[in-house]
Amino acid sequence: MSETETREQTTRTTDTGESNLRWLSGFVSLVGAWIFISAFIYPTMSVASYWNNLIIGAAIFLVAGYNYYRMSKGLSASVGSSSFVALLGLWMILVPFVMAVGEAFWSDVISGVIVAVIAGYNAYAGRGTRTGATAGTT
Protein backbone atom coordinates (compact mmCIF):
# COMPACT_ATOMS: atom_id res chain seq x y z
CA MET A 1 0.00 0.00 0.00
CA SER A 2 1.36 3.41 -0.92
CA GLU A 3 1.82 6.22 1.55
CA THR A 4 -1.06 8.20 0.04
CA GLU A 5 -3.46 5.23 0.34
CA THR A 6 -2.40 4.70 3.95
CA ARG A 7 -2.93 8.39 4.77
CA GLU A 8 -6.40 8.38 3.13
CA GLN A 9 -7.40 5.23 5.05
CA THR A 10 -6.17 6.76 8.32
CA THR A 11 -8.12 9.96 7.61
CA ARG A 12 -11.31 8.01 6.88
CA THR A 13 -10.89 5.90 10.04
CA THR A 14 -10.26 8.99 12.19
CA ASP A 15 -13.22 10.86 10.66
CA THR A 16 -15.51 7.90 11.32
CA GLY A 17 -14.23 7.60 14.91
CA GLU A 18 -14.78 11.30 15.58
CA SER A 19 -18.24 11.11 14.04
CA ASN A 20 -19.11 8.22 16.37
CA LEU A 21 -17.81 10.18 19.37
CA ARG A 22 -19.90 13.17 18.31
CA TRP A 23 -23.10 11.13 18.11
CA LEU A 24 -22.35 9.41 21.41
CA SER A 25 -21.93 12.83 23.04
CA GLY A 26 -25.27 13.88 21.58
CA PHE A 27 -26.90 10.75 23.00
CA VAL A 28 -25.39 11.40 26.44
CA SER A 29 -26.72 14.95 26.26
CA LEU A 30 -30.21 13.55 25.64
CA VAL A 31 -29.86 11.21 28.62
CA GLY A 32 -28.95 14.28 30.69
CA ALA A 33 -32.15 15.92 29.46
CA TRP A 34 -34.07 12.80 30.57
CA ILE A 35 -32.53 13.01 34.05
CA PHE A 36 -33.61 16.66 34.24
CA ILE A 37 -37.16 15.90 33.04
CA SER A 38 -37.49 12.87 35.33
CA ALA A 39 -37.52 15.24 38.30
CA PHE A 40 -40.96 16.37 37.11
CA ILE A 41 -42.23 12.92 36.12
CA TYR A 42 -41.62 11.02 39.36
CA PRO A 43 -43.62 12.69 42.16
CA THR A 44 -42.33 10.57 45.07
CA MET A 45 -38.78 11.98 45.05
CA SER A 46 -37.38 13.68 48.10
CA VAL A 47 -36.61 17.36 47.78
CA ALA A 48 -32.87 16.65 47.74
CA SER A 49 -33.24 14.06 45.00
CA TYR A 50 -35.47 16.42 43.01
CA TRP A 51 -32.84 19.16 43.03
CA ASN A 52 -30.07 16.65 42.41
CA ASN A 53 -31.80 15.42 39.24
CA LEU A 54 -32.39 18.99 38.07
CA ILE A 55 -28.81 20.13 38.63
CA ILE A 56 -26.98 16.98 37.53
CA GLY A 57 -29.29 16.44 34.55
CA ALA A 58 -28.77 20.03 33.37
CA ALA A 59 -25.01 19.75 33.85
CA ILE A 60 -24.82 16.50 31.85
CA PHE A 61 -27.04 17.98 29.13
CA LEU A 62 -24.97 21.15 28.83
CA VAL A 63 -21.47 19.66 29.09
CA ALA A 64 -22.15 16.71 26.77
CA GLY A 65 -23.95 19.10 24.42
CA TYR A 66 -20.89 21.33 24.46
CA ASN A 67 -18.74 18.34 23.48
CA TYR A 68 -21.18 17.51 20.67
CA TYR A 69 -21.04 21.11 19.46
CA ARG A 70 -17.22 21.12 19.54
CA MET A 71 -17.03 18.00 17.42
CA SER A 72 -19.69 19.33 15.02
CA LYS A 73 -17.38 22.27 14.32
CA GLY A 74 -14.47 19.94 13.48
CA LEU A 75 -12.63 20.28 16.79
CA SER A 76 -11.44 17.28 18.75
CA ALA A 77 -13.40 15.84 21.66
CA SER A 78 -12.83 17.53 25.00
CA VAL A 79 -11.37 14.81 27.21
CA GLY A 80 -11.90 16.92 30.33
CA SER A 81 -15.58 17.47 29.54
CA SER A 82 -16.15 13.79 28.83
CA SER A 83 -14.36 12.81 32.03
CA PHE A 84 -16.46 15.24 34.06
CA VAL A 85 -19.67 13.87 32.54
CA ALA A 86 -18.51 10.31 33.32
CA LEU A 87 -18.04 11.32 36.96
CA LEU A 88 -21.53 12.84 37.01
CA GLY A 89 -22.82 9.54 35.62
CA LEU A 90 -21.11 7.65 38.45
CA TRP A 91 -22.76 10.03 40.91
CA MET A 92 -26.17 9.31 39.36
CA ILE A 93 -25.57 5.59 39.97
CA LEU A 94 -24.93 6.28 43.67
CA VAL A 95 -27.79 8.75 44.20
CA PRO A 96 -30.55 6.14 44.75
CA PHE A 97 -28.48 4.53 47.48
CA VAL A 98 -27.74 7.87 49.20
CA MET A 99 -31.05 9.75 48.81
CA ALA A 100 -34.69 8.72 48.82
CA VAL A 101 -35.59 8.72 45.13
CA GLY A 102 -38.78 6.65 45.28
CA GLU A 103 -40.04 5.56 41.87
CA ALA A 104 -37.03 7.06 40.10
CA PHE A 105 -34.65 4.44 41.54
CA TRP A 106 -34.10 2.44 38.35
CA SER A 107 -34.32 5.48 36.12
CA ASP A 108 -31.44 7.12 37.97
CA VAL A 109 -29.34 3.94 38.09
CA ILE A 110 -29.80 3.07 34.41
CA SER A 111 -29.31 6.66 33.28
CA GLY A 112 -26.16 6.89 35.39
CA VAL A 113 -24.75 3.67 33.93
CA ILE A 114 -25.43 4.84 30.37
CA VAL A 115 -23.83 8.23 31.00
CA ALA A 116 -20.81 6.85 32.86
CA VAL A 117 -20.04 4.16 30.28
CA ILE A 118 -20.52 6.26 27.15
CA ALA A 119 -18.85 9.41 28.51
CA GLY A 120 -16.00 7.29 29.87
CA TYR A 121 -15.57 5.75 26.43
CA ASN A 122 -15.63 9.22 24.85
CA ALA A 123 -12.91 10.40 27.23
CA TYR A 124 -10.80 7.32 26.49
CA ALA A 125 -11.27 7.44 22.71
CA GLY A 126 -11.01 11.21 22.59
CA ARG A 127 -7.52 11.22 24.03
CA GLY A 128 -6.27 9.32 20.96
CA THR A 129 -7.73 11.83 18.51
CA ARG A 130 -6.41 14.71 20.58
CA THR A 131 -2.82 13.55 20.40
CA GLY A 132 -3.11 12.92 16.67
CA ALA A 133 -2.74 9.16 16.91
CA THR A 134 -4.54 7.06 14.37
CA ALA A 135 -7.75 5.39 15.49
CA GLY A 136 -7.28 2.05 17.19
CA THR A 137 -3.70 2.71 18.33
CA THR A 138 -2.32 3.70 21.70
Side-chain angles (χ1 to χ4, degrees):
M1 201 184 294
S2 73
E3 183 178 330
T4 305
E5 290 172 339
T6 304
R7 189 176 312 126
E8 287 175 3
Q9 182 179 8
T10 301
T11 302
R12 267 182 279 150
T13 304
T14 303
D15 289 345
T16 303
E18 289 178 6
S19 175
N20 289 340
L21 292 180
R22 181 180 68 222
W23 289 112
L24 288 173
S25 287
F27 179 70
V28 168
S29 183
L30 291 176
V31 174
W34 164 250
I35 293 169
F36 180 86
I37 292 168
S38 71
F40 302 105
I41 293 175
Y42 297 112
T44 60
M45 283 185 174
S46 67
V47 173
S49 180
Y50 171 83
W51 283 105
N52 178 74
N53 277 23
L54 287 179
I55 293 167
I56 301 299
I60 290 171
F61 175 75
L62 292 173
V63 176
Y66 163 75
N67 219 7
Y68 174 82
Y69 174 78
R70 269 181 65 91
M71 289 184 273
S72 295
K73 296 298 180 190
L75 300 171
S76 63
S78 172
V79 176
S81 296
S82 294
S83 299
F84 178 64
V85 171
L87 289 174
L88 292 176
L90 291 174
W91 171 249
M92 284 306 299
I93 295 170
L94 294 175
V95 163
F97 302 102
V98 177
M99 299 178 193
V101 295
E103 297 170 348
F105 182 89
W106 287 111
S107 175
D108 285 354
V109 170
I110 292 169
S111 297
V113 167
I114 290 170
V115 168
V117 168
I118 295 176
Y121 172 76
N122 272 359
Y124 175 76
R127 70 177 175 78
T129 58
R130 184 176 186 172
T131 60
T134 58
T137 62
T138 51

